[in-house]
Amino acid sequence: LSDEDDEEDGGGERVPASELNIRKIILRRETLERWIAEPFMADLAPGCFVRIGIGQSSSRGSENKYLLAEIVEVAEGSHGHYTLMDYEYVPGSGKRTNRWVILRHGSNDRAFRITEISNSELTPKEFIQWQQAMTKDNRRGPLLRDVAAAEEQIARAENYRYTSEDVSKMVQEKNQSMGGLSHNLAGQKEILRRLIERAASEGDAGAVSQLQEQLA
């Protein structure tokens, strides 16, 4: 989050978010597995938090170590000077993506696969470690209004309605995958099936017909 002074009169919204507040906007891996191929992912995931695995603790043998981190960006293919390779985001499923999440802990930004994100609850110790990192790097944490905005983003994602632009883009990506990116076909077909389900639930027979033709 920005370090710039907030000069607006936000009243209670300018109050720093508590641990309980932040826990409301932590996304689990299972949620990101559902979001990863969706058109809203890049717009609605940033500002939320995750519990990210960073390997094993040197002091406790084989115990896994986790950190609280903010999603600041969703990157595809590259980030800075680094190439982001595609990967299987649900092990054993054949579903692949080239979308990575750029996470921030303190002032450190780094790209992670969503497979490295935890499905488990954040511990109080991990929250304290995040607070310490923010203080050390002179970063401010989210305010209540930042949490409210992230909660709204999560709600929008869970109730997202596809636009005609979304449909056209996904169909175009499917057609491009036919031209050589065959390893993404399973993921593209799944997207089209979800689009068909959404269009049918909204009574859009025209969109259903168009998408079924693309799925064939």
Side-chain angles (χ1 to χ4, degrees), residues 33-101:
E33 288 173 350
R34 289 189 288 106
W35 288 16
I36 194 69
E38 299 286 0
F40 57 74
M41 173 75 173
D43 292 328
L44 301 183
C48 297
F49 283 72
V50 296
R51 180 177 185 251
I52 185 71
I54 58 168
Q56 296 182 333
S57 173
S58 59
S59 62
R60 296 195 177 184
S62 61
E63 182 176 323
N64 292 329
K65 184 176 181 181
Y66 295 90
L67 295 175
L68 176 64
E70 180 189 359
I71 301 175
V72 295
E73 183 184 349
V74 176
E76 296 185 47
S78 64
H79 176 63
H81 299 295
Y82 296 96
T83 298
L84 304 177
M85 304 298 292
D86 73 313
Y87 61 96
E88 188 176 51
Y89 64 90
V90 180
S93 69
K95 299 175 183 177
R96 304 185 69 85
T97 185
N98 68 346
R99 286 183 172 178
W100 294 50
V101 286

Side-chain angles (χ1 to χ4, degrees), residues 190-211:
E190 182 181 352
I191 290 171
L192 287 169
R193 290 190 186 98
R194 287 203 299 270
L195 282 166
I196 290 169
E197 290 174 2
R198 293 272 183 107
S201 69
E202 294 169 11
D204 191 339
V208 170
S209 178
Q210 177 189 0
L211 291 164

Side-chain angles (χ1 to χ4, degrees), residues 50-166:
V50 296
R51 180 177 185 251
I52 185 71
I54 58 168
Q56 296 182 333
S57 173
S58 59
S59 62
R60 296 195 177 184
S62 61
E63 182 176 323
N64 292 329
K65 184 176 181 181
Y66 295 90
L67 295 175
L68 176 64
E70 180 189 359
I71 301 175
V72 295
E73 183 184 349
V74 176
E76 296 185 47
S78 64
H79 176 63
H81 299 295
Y82 296 96
T83 298
L84 304 177
M85 304 298 292
D86 73 313
Y87 61 96
E88 188 176 51
Y89 64 90
V90 180
S93 69
K95 299 175 183 177
R96 304 185 69 85
T97 185
N98 68 346
R99 286 183 172 178
W100 294 50
V101 286
I102 310 305
L103 303 182
R104 177 173 296 159
H105 180 82
S107 60
N108 182 35
D109 291 7
R110 180 181 159 192
F112 287 89
R113 301 176 179 88
I114 67 165
T115 52
E116 299 168 279
I117 291 169
S118 174
N119 270 331
S120 301
E121 291 287 336
L122 180 77
T123 68
K125 179 180 178 181
E126 290 160 356
F127 182 78
I128 291 172
Q129 289 173 334
W130 171 78
Q131 286 183 311
Q132 292 172 339
M134 296 292 282
T135 300
K136 174 179 175 293
D137 294 342
N138 196 30
R139 306 284 303 185
R140 80 158 173 83
L143 305 177
L144 285 183
R145 69 177 180 190
D146 299 319
V147 171
E151 286 185 291
E152 182 179 346
Q153 289 169 203
I154 293 170
R156 286 170 56 197
E158 295 298 332
N159 297 283
Y160 188 80
R161 288 176 175 261
Y162 291 105
T163 65
S164 57
E165 289 79 10
D166 292 334

Side-chain angles (χ1 to χ4, degrees), residues 167-179:
V167 172
S168 297
K169 182 178 179 180
M170 290 183 174
V171 168
Q172 181 182 16
E173 289 176 351
K174 175 180 180 287
N175 290 337
Q176 289 174 346
S177 72
M178 294 289 289

